[in-house]
């Protein structure tokens, strides 16, 4: 087996309703090594698993996640684009941690605090991770790198990784400067020599979103630390060749 870990993007988002339990269950069944999910806060401060700031695209609700209580959010259907899977709720982060506790998968929690800052989200999420004693299996990522520095100061034992979309000069130097042990570039911002050198410098590289077979193969062949894909089952199958 190749050394590259496979992280299931929003679960198995290519085949199942993104960021729902059924999508995470599919990722586990597919043999993924980790799951990536997105977290925002409800009006009453509950960390919830959903990608967009607005409910409109993925649920039968409308408006901003931040304006509804957990009770209100938990009654919505987050499976509107995937009718064949029936009704699937927006999970609370706590539910996903409880589910993954019984597996050996890693979990990449992406803090979606670029548009709304969700003050206190870092403290709440870290307290939850600690209460489950899952510090070793979690990677906190965000496009908001100030938030990642805040996380590092609160919980240096939990790995952080900056997300970025544009080319950085010596990103491993930048990652180290903010206390990060990994980096999560868009694949467009991560040419192969950058990936190879970052890993040689001791920084884990987990590019996103890798759905194309040829791209998967090139990342397996350089033993990239991991990649994030909407199709974990396909990735696991292809990895058998390495
Ligand atoms: O964490 C990788 C990827 O999920 C970042 O972008 O918009 O899909 O959350 P996005
Ligand atoms: Mg994400």
């Amino acid at each position: 087996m190749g050394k590259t870990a496979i992280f299931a993007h929003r679960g198995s988002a290519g085949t199942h309703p993104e960021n729902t339990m059924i999508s995470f269950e599919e990722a586990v069944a597919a043999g993924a090594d980790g799951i990536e999910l997105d977290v925002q806060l409800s009006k009453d401060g509950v960390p919830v698993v959903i990608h967009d700031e607005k409910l409109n695209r993925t649920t039968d609700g409308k408006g901003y996640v931040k304006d509804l209580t957990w009770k209100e959010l938990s009654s919505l259907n987050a499976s509107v684009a995937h009718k064949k899977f029936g009704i699937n709720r927006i999970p609370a982060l706590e539910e996903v941690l409880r589910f993954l506790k019984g597996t050996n998968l890693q979990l990449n929690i992406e803090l979606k605090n670029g548009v709304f800052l969700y003050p206190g989200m870092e403290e709440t999420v870290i307290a939850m991770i600690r209460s489950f004693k899952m510090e070793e299996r979690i990677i906190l990522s965000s496009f908001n790198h100030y938030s990642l520095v805040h996380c590092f100061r609160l919980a240096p034992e939990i790995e952080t990784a900056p997300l970025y979309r544009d080319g950085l000069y010596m990103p491993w130097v930048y990652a180290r400067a903010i206390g990060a042990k990994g980096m999560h570039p868009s694949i467009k911002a991560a040419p192969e020599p950058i990936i190879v050198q970052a890993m040689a410098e001791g920084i884990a590289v987990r590019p996103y979103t890798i759905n194309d077979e040829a791209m998967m193969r090139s990342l397996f062949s350089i033993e990239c630390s991991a990649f994030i894909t909407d199709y974990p089952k396909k990735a696991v199958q292809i990895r058998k060749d390495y």
Side-chain angles (χ1 to χ4, degrees):
M1 188 180 92
K3 288 181 185 156
T4 303
I6 294 165
F7 275 67
H9 188 229
R10 311 178 195 173
S12 183
T15 57
H16 288 64
E18 66 178 60
N19 283 327
T20 63
M21 292 308 297
I22 198 176
S23 189
F24 302 140
E25 286 157 11
E26 169 61 20
V28 174
D33 306 288
I35 283 170
E36 187 267 2
L37 54 74
D38 308 288
V39 167
Q40 323 230 8
L41 283 191
S42 69
K43 186 178 180 182
D44 48 346
V46 176
V48 292
V49 181
I50 184 165
H51 178 272
D52 298 3
E53 286 76 19
K54 277 192 164 168
L55 296 158
N56 304 46
R57 179 179 61 89
T58 57
T59 80
D60 54 358
K62 281 195 175 69
Y64 291 110
V65 173
K66 70 175 178 62
D67 293 333
L68 271 68
T69 62
W70 163 239
K71 190 159 180 245
E72 290 165 334
L73 292 171
S74 63
S75 70
L76 300 176
N77 181 12
S79 192
V80 288
H82 292 264
K83 297 246 181 330
K84 71 170 174 171
F85 292 106
I87 292 174
N88 289 280
R89 305 294 178 194
I90 297 173
L93 177 61
E94 187 172 4
E95 187 180 356
V96 183
L97 290 175
R98 198 176 309 117
F99 167 63
L100 287 180
K101 181 78 182 169
T103 72
N104 59 7
L105 270 72
Q106 286 186 279
L107 177 62
N108 172 202
I109 300 175
E110 180 185 349
L111 302 175
K112 275 281 178 226
N113 51 4
V115 176
F116 302 116
L117 298 180
Y118 296 119
M121 176 152 81
E122 296 90 343
E123 284 82 352
T124 305
V125 168
I126 286 168
M128 200 176 279
I129 294 167
R130 284 176 171 160
S131 76
F132 278 90
K133 299 191 168 39
M134 287 175 72
E135 297 93 323
E136 300 288 310
R137 287 163 54 189
I138 305 279
I139 301 149
L140 293 169
S141 67
S142 181
F143 286 102
N144 179 344
H145 301 175
Y146 290 89
S147 172
L148 291 182
V149 171
H150 188 45
C151 289
F152 179 65
R153 287 177 179 155
L154 290 169
E157 76 277 19
I158 302 175
E159 180 173 338
T160 55
L163 278 158
Y164 63 96
R165 296 189 188 91
D166 292 312
L168 290 178
Y169 183 68
M170 297 202 290
W172 52 90
V173 174
Y174 177 69
R176 276 201 292 265
I178 64 167
K181 294 193 173 58
M183 56 188 224
H184 292 187
S186 160
I187 190 63
K188 297 185 194 93
E192 196 172 298
I194 293 287
I195 296 176
V196 169
Q197 190 161 356
M199 290 195 300
E201 296 279 345
I203 298 294
V205 186
R206 304 181 192 91
Y208 73 93
T209 307
I210 315 302
N211 293 337
D212 170 67
E213 175 170 346
M215 184 59 70
M216 288 180 182
R217 288 190 182 280
S218 71
L219 292 170
F220 287 134
S221 69
I222 62 167
E223 297 187 345
C224 187
S225 319
F227 62 71
I228 300 170
T229 177
D230 292 324
Y231 296 93
K233 192 172 180 179
K234 169 176 158 180
V236 168
Q237 193 59 39
I238 293 169
R239 189 173 60 182
K240 292 192 174 126
D241 295 345
Y242 294 84

